[in-house]
Amino acid sequence: MSNAGSGGAEPGSEDGPRLAPGSGAGDPMTWWYRWLCRIVGVLGGVSCAVAGLWNCVTIDPLNIAAGVWMVLNAFVLFLCEAPFCCQFIEFANAVSARADKLRYWQKAIFYCGMAIFPIFLRFSITTLFGNAIAFASGVLYGLASLGKNLKSLSLSSDAEKGD
């Protein structure tokens, strides 16, 4: 039984395909959680697009600005989470590859910041509910980054209790 190219890895450490490319020091994200983050990101893009278009049907300039920002949020979410939706845009795969290299906390700050800005620009039910799912995508990525840190913190506290 030869593991070509395994480099003497221990059994059970074949988590290669489940590792996030930009997650730092080999931080594994399970396949279902990665799909959950991507699905929530795509749903956040849909909700931002619909609510953004609805916001643009007005004469209030702040509503129009918030609506345009929400449509841009939707476009960025589609580029980062589902580049196959933008297959006719030449740079879509390059943007998606670069977004996959970001660490989870960076994605969390980016997605949450993108979702909060239109709410500060014009607080309304449309902007609040339209950006809620996009914000939830950022929260899920934030929880993924905290999961690794909290796990290592609890293991170190358990080791200190054992001493």
Side-chain angles (χ1 to χ4, degrees):
M1 183 160 116
S2 71
N3 292 336
S6 66
E10 298 179 11
S13 67
E14 49 273 340
D15 288 336
R18 292 192 298 163
L19 293 179
S23 60
D27 163 51
M29 181 190 274
T30 59
W31 64 271
W32 61 267
Y33 196 79
R34 175 171 291 132
W35 275 100
L36 177 69
C37 290
R38 290 207 181 256
I39 289 170
V40 170
V42 170
L43 291 176
V46 170
S47 71
C48 276
V50 170
L53 288 175
W54 184 258
N55 261 359
C56 287
V57 182
T58 184
I59 58 171
D60 185 20
L62 286 178
N63 267 354
I64 294 172
V68 168
W69 187 270
M70 289 170 67
V71 171
L72 287 173
N73 285 352
F75 181 68
V76 169
L77 282 169
F78 285 142
L79 276 178
C80 294
E81 298 297 328
F84 60 86
C85 292
C86 307
Q87 63 184 347
F88 298 111
I89 300 173
E90 292 180 18
F91 59 88
N93 288 331
V95 171
S96 176
R98 187 167 178 101
D100 283 341
K101 291 179 184 176
L102 291 174
R103 296 175 190 233
Y104 300 139
W105 64 269
Q106 292 170 332
K107 276 189 173 183
I109 291 173
F110 183 62
Y111 288 171
C112 290
M114 281 191 331
I116 286 177
F117 183 73
I119 296 171
F120 286 144
L121 196 59
R122 182 63 164 183
F123 185 79
S124 69
I125 291 178
T126 309
T127 56
L128 189 64
F129 287 132
N131 288 303
I133 302 175
F135 188 83
S137 176
V139 168
L140 287 174
Y141 278 112
L143 289 175
S145 70
L146 286 179
K148 180 189 88 165
N149 294 337
L150 292 177
K151 186 190 300 184
S152 64
L153 184 63
S154 68
L155 288 176
S156 66
S157 68
D158 288 343
E160 289 175 4
K161 289 179 185 176
D163 288 342

